[in-house]
Amino acid sequence: MDTAQHTDRDRLPRSIVCPRSIVVLSGGVGGARFARGVRHLLRSAEGEPRSTLTCIVNVGDDMWLNGLRVCPDLDSVMYGLAGVNDAERGWGRAGESERVSAELLAYGVGADWFTLGDLDLATHIARSQLLREGRGLAEATRVLTSRWDLGAALLPATEHEVETRVRVGETETLHFEEWWVRHRAALPAREFVRAGASAAVPAPGVLEAIGSADLVLLAPSNPIVSVGSILAIPGIREALAAAAAPVVGLSPIIGGSHLLGMAAQCLTAVGAEVSAAGVAEHYGARAVGGLLDGWLVDSRDAGSVPRIEAAGIAAAAVPLLMGDDAVTAEMARAAVDLAERMSRG
Amino acid sequence: MDTAQHTDRDRLPRSIVCPRSIVVLSGGVGGARFARGVRHLLRSAEGEPRSTLTCIVNVGDDMWLNGLRVCPDLDSVMYGLAGVNDAERGWGRAGESERVSAELLAYGVGADWFTLGDLDLATHIARSQLLREGRGLAEATRVLTSRWDLGAALLPATEHEVETRVRVGETETLHFEEWWVRHRAALPAREFVRAGASAAVPAPGVLEAIGSADLVLLAPSNPIVSVGSILAIPGIREALAAAAAPVVGLSPIIGGSHLLGMAAQCLTAVGAEVSAAGVAEHYGARAVGGLLDGWLVDSRDAGSVPRIEAAGIAAAAVPLLMGDDAVTAEMARAAVDLAERMSRG
């Protein structure tokens, strides 16, 4: 244990009682940073019983590219928790190179808008190989993540191929990644379609994790295409509604904008208000058939707390800017605190 | 045109009349070097009508590795003709790296005996993608090779998956590449089996190329697992027997040993004599149901010429050490000369 970790620990109150089983619903890069914060919180709660962290990760962005199964969000969470992510660039592996992609382009076979890094490519090849051997995506993810001590279990929301598509014209739809990466979300989205969702079921372990959780957290990920695509898998929303654990979300919108990604475009497309309260209302209060027991907004959105509570959702305002793991752990701690306040209330 | 090429040209007699259409039956690395020599000869025959070179390449070593279609011989010939091969190491791409392979091993998914270079990997990914789009291996090869001005058409012997397997025990067989690369051909081979050969047909263009050729050359490749695996595709041996063009081979055995690869182990396994004359007799004279009209042996094997001619095969002894392209072109020229001598006789 290095000194830095000791210092980080000292910033967390010793008295915290950690839930023994935390489930995080997560998108990619933002979800990964949040999951690191939760892990930091759990690891810092010295003397407490060992807690488990399970990340249920969006797979709506997954795609077949050059015959390889690419799972952007699963990979972002895996790389982030493994500490091999490129924090500066914000996505992919640190120390990445693109020799294979350059060759693919020279052959005229690669997609020029989606660059596969060499290290990242190995993940896709390994995953595709595991899938071809007949393993499901959950088991393939377990094999891939077993290489590192992640301190968390990663579960795909589903093993079915449920593709988030963006309707940009009367009938034309694009794969989410094509809209997002290729067009930088510049084409107005009219609708998000989850192709294949109706026939999908949650991946093995997902319903069990939700059912046995002490706390369910919604990462400050994109509420439409990340968390929303998880909720689109039949059975997951029902499991959350029936869960014994409180469901607490963290607003991805701070002062009217999304710091990571393009939630604003997505919220607008579904007619939701681009604000911390708007997202809470989009998810809805569990008491009235929605999702949330609690909602954290950023300190600068403190004014919206009464409106959120009026909607039947316990709310609190705390700093929601994800910084280093210790700073992000404070966000997780605030979510735990809010859940405790609800259980006392 | 650089000075070096002019110098090379000056080493070739101006008077040579090149066949307009040369077909080369080729294995991998040795076949690639020979094909470069043939191309050099054709390009040097200034003032003559443009000749075409078609390489019919062994695919018996092909395999699926991590879900990717790897074609070692097609790639060796493509890289060799493109000039992007690693001449020092003898195989693969020049300037190669192995970042993806290292990651695959870290995931526990890669084969530790077969390293996929990053640049090479792009070829496999591109090919696999083309195959998945429904193209045959011949068309996929055309797309891949179109990136370079190879001065030759590359044809797989077949588009079917015909796998050369090596029987090393009573019943146990290994994929040729596993025997060759993993075990360095150290396990005695009892038999070579072409799994799937009986149902295979020649790739589009193969029979046409043989039928319209002015000269068919057997590269000094492994007579059993390279040329032999091409001949195992039903229809190819028959097309060669019926061809109007003379069929001239170059001995891969020089003074009793094979300079490239491990032909000796393969010849021994099929009960053939490991010598220049032994390989000629293994192929047999076309006049008596075999393959060859002519056979070139190395100068140091000149003593075997009468024995080969007694078997009904025109023979000549010339230096057969493949050096630079100009040196190798002299070997090709000797084969053309031998064919001309036969047509005059």
Side-chain angles (χ1 to χ4, degrees):
Chain A
M1 194 160 306
D2 59 30
T3 317
Q5 266 182 296
H6 260 298
T7 309
D8 287 346
R9 279 187 178 194
D10 295 342
R11 291 162 61 180
L12 292 160
R14 296 278 178 185
S15 62
I16 182 173
V17 179
C18 272
R20 266 180 293 190
S21 173
I22 296 186
V23 164
V24 174
L25 269 53
S26 170
V29 174
R33 294 180 69 181
F34 181 67
R36 284 175 61 111
V38 176
R39 181 181 65 182
H40 189 88
L41 176 73
L42 295 179
R43 286 184 172 166
S44 304
E46 229 167 13
E48 299 300 325
R50 283 185 65 83
S51 304
T52 65
L53 168 60
T54 303
C55 297
I56 298 174
V57 182
N58 169 44
V59 293
D61 307 0
D62 296 5
M63 58 182 164
W64 287 101
L65 198 68
N66 294 317
L68 302 171
R69 190 65 180 164
V70 178
C71 302
D73 285 0
L74 279 170
D75 291 345
S76 290
V77 177
M78 177 170 76
Y79 297 156
L81 286 170
V84 299
N85 59 308
D86 187 331
E88 203 146 320
R89 187 174 55 169
W91 54 276
R93 291 281 303 263
E96 188 56 287
S97 52
E98 284 152 12
R99 304 195 79 203
V100 179
S101 261
E103 282 295 302
L104 287 175
L105 279 183
Y107 279 125
V109 169
D112 58 4
W113 57 272
F114 198 94
T115 301
L116 291 166
D118 296 328
L119 303 178
D120 194 33
L121 187 64
T123 305
H124 311 318
I125 294 175
R127 173 188 297 118
S128 304
Q129 170 68 5
L130 292 165
L131 294 175
R132 272 192 200 92
E133 287 171 1
R135 314 206 200 197
L137 183 58
E139 171 65 6
T141 302
R142 193 196 60 71
V143 172
L144 293 178
T145 54
S146 68
R147 171 180 170 190
W148 292 287
D149 176 21
L150 295 190
L154 265 57
L155 289 176
T158 179
E159 295 190 321
H160 289 239
E161 295 184 9
V162 179
E163 198 170 284
T164 301
R165 298 193 65 84
V166 186
R167 193 159 69 78
V168 293
E170 276 311 309
T171 54
E172 192 195 356
T173 66
L174 300 175
H175 187 286
F176 174 74
E177 287 287 324
E178 194 173 0
W179 177 73
W180 185 267
V181 176
R182 184 179 199 173
H183 298 287
R184 307 301 306 158
L187 298 173
R190 300 186 178 200
E191 190 187 5
F192 295 96
V193 181
R194 274 95 187 183
S198 63
V201 298
V206 167
L207 297 183
E208 296 77 357
I210 293 172
S212 63
D214 295 314
L215 176 62
V216 175
L217 298 175
L218 309 190
S221 298
N222 189 310
I224 310 303
V225 294
S226 297
V227 178
S229 292
I230 298 174
L231 299 173
I233 308 304
I236 291 187
R237 193 181 277 276
E238 293 77 359
L240 290 166
V247 177
V248 176
L250 293 89
S251 176
I253 301 291
I254 296 182
S257 70
H258 192 205
L259 295 173
L260 272 177
M262 297 170 253
Q265 291 93 321
C266 299
L267 285 164
T268 302
V270 303
E273 182 186 303
V274 184
S275 71
V279 178
E281 288 165 2
H282 170 75
Y283 284 135
R286 181 138 74 144
V288 295
L291 191 69
L292 297 176
D293 296 300
W295 188 243
L296 289 179
V297 302
D298 185 67
S299 306
R300 78 191 76 173
D301 296 312
S304 65
V305 166
R307 170 178 158 192
I308 297 164
E309 299 221 308
I313 301 163
V318 296
L320 286 191
L321 277 179
M322 291 195 281
D324 63 19
D325 291 351
V327 167
T328 309
E330 294 294 333
M331 291 167 52
R333 193 186 55 75
V336 171
D337 287 349
L338 184 60
E340 285 189 346
R341 197 184 84 191
M342 291 184 291
S343 70
R344 282 195 310 270
Chain B
M1 195 162 304
D2 60 28
T3 316
Q5 266 182 294
H6 262 296
T7 309
D8 287 348
R9 281 189 175 193
D10 295 341
R11 291 160 63 180
L12 292 160
R14 296 277 179 187
S15 63
I16 183 173
V17 178
C18 272
R20 265 180 294 191
S21 173
I22 296 186
V23 165
V24 173
L25 269 55
S26 170
V29 174
R33 293 180 69 181
F34 181 66
R36 284 175 61 110
V38 175
R39 181 181 64 181
H40 189 87
L41 176 71
L42 295 179
R43 286 185 173 168
S44 305
E46 231 167 11
E48 299 300 325
R50 284 186 66 84
S51 304
T52 65
L53 168 60
T54 303
C55 298
I56 298 174
V57 182
N58 169 44
V59 293
D61 308 359
D62 295 5
M63 59 183 164
W64 287 102
L65 198 69
N66 295 317
L68 301 172
R69 190 65 179 164
V70 179
C71 302
D73 285 0
L74 278 170
D75 291 344
S76 290
V77 177
M78 178 170 75
Y79 297 156
L81 286 170
V84 299
N85 59 307
D86 187 332
E88 203 147 321
R89 187 173 57 169
W91 52 275
R93 291 283 302 263
E96 188 57 289
S97 52
E98 285 152 9
R99 304 196 79 203
V100 180
S101 261
E103 282 295 302
L104 287 175
L105 280 181
Y107 279 125
V109 168
D112 58 4
W113 57 272
F114 198 94
T115 302
L116 291 167
D118 296 328
L119 302 178
D120 195 33
L121 186 64
T123 305
H124 312 319
I125 293 174
R127 173 189 296 117
S128 305
Q129 169 69 5
L130 292 165
L131 294 176
R132 271 193 202 93
E133 287 171 3
R135 313 208 201 197
L137 183 57
E139 171 64 7
T141 303
R142 193 196 61 72
V143 172
L144 293 178
T145 54
S146 68
R147 173 180 168 190
W148 293 287
D149 176 21
L150 295 189
L154 266 58
L155 288 176
T158 180
E159 295 191 320
H160 289 239
E161 295 185 10
V162 179
E163 197 169 283
T164 301
R165 298 194 65 85
V166 187
R167 193 160 67 78
V168 294
E170 276 310 311
T171 53
E172 192 194 356
T173 66
L174 300 176
H175 187 286
F176 175 75
E177 287 287 324
E178 192 172 1
W179 177 73
W180 184 267
V181 176
R182 184 178 198 172
H183 298 288
R184 306 301 306 158
L187 298 173
R190 301 185 178 201
E191 190 187 5
F192 296 95
V193 181
R194 274 95 187 184
S198 62
V201 298
V206 166
L207 297 183
E208 294 78 359
I210 294 171
S212 63
D214 295 314
L215 175 62
V216 175
L217 298 175
L218 309 189
S221 298
N222 189 310
I224 310 304
V225 294
S226 296
V227 178
S229 293
I230 297 173
L231 299 173
I233 307 304
I236 292 187
R237 193 182 277 277
E238 293 76 359
L240 290 166
V247 177
V248 176
L250 293 89
S251 176
I253 302 291
I254 296 181
S257 69
H258 192 207
L259 294 172
L260 272 177
M262 297 170 250
Q265 291 94 321
C266 300
L267 286 164
T268 302
V270 303
E273 182 187 301
V274 183
S275 71
V279 177
E281 288 165 1
H282 169 75
Y283 283 135
R286 181 138 74 142
V288 295
L291 192 67
L292 297 176
D293 296 299
W295 188 244
L296 288 179
V297 302
D298 184 66
S299 305
R300 79 192 75 172
D301 297 312
S304 67
V305 166
R307 171 178 158 192
I308 297 164
E309 300 221 308
I313 301 163
V318 296
L320 286 191
L321 278 177
M322 291 195 282
D324 62 21
D325 290 352
V327 167
T328 309
E330 294 295 334
M331 292 168 51
R333 193 185 54 75
V336 171
D337 287 348
L338 184 61
E340 284 189 346
R341 197 184 84 191
M342 293 183 292
S343 70
R344 283 194 309 269

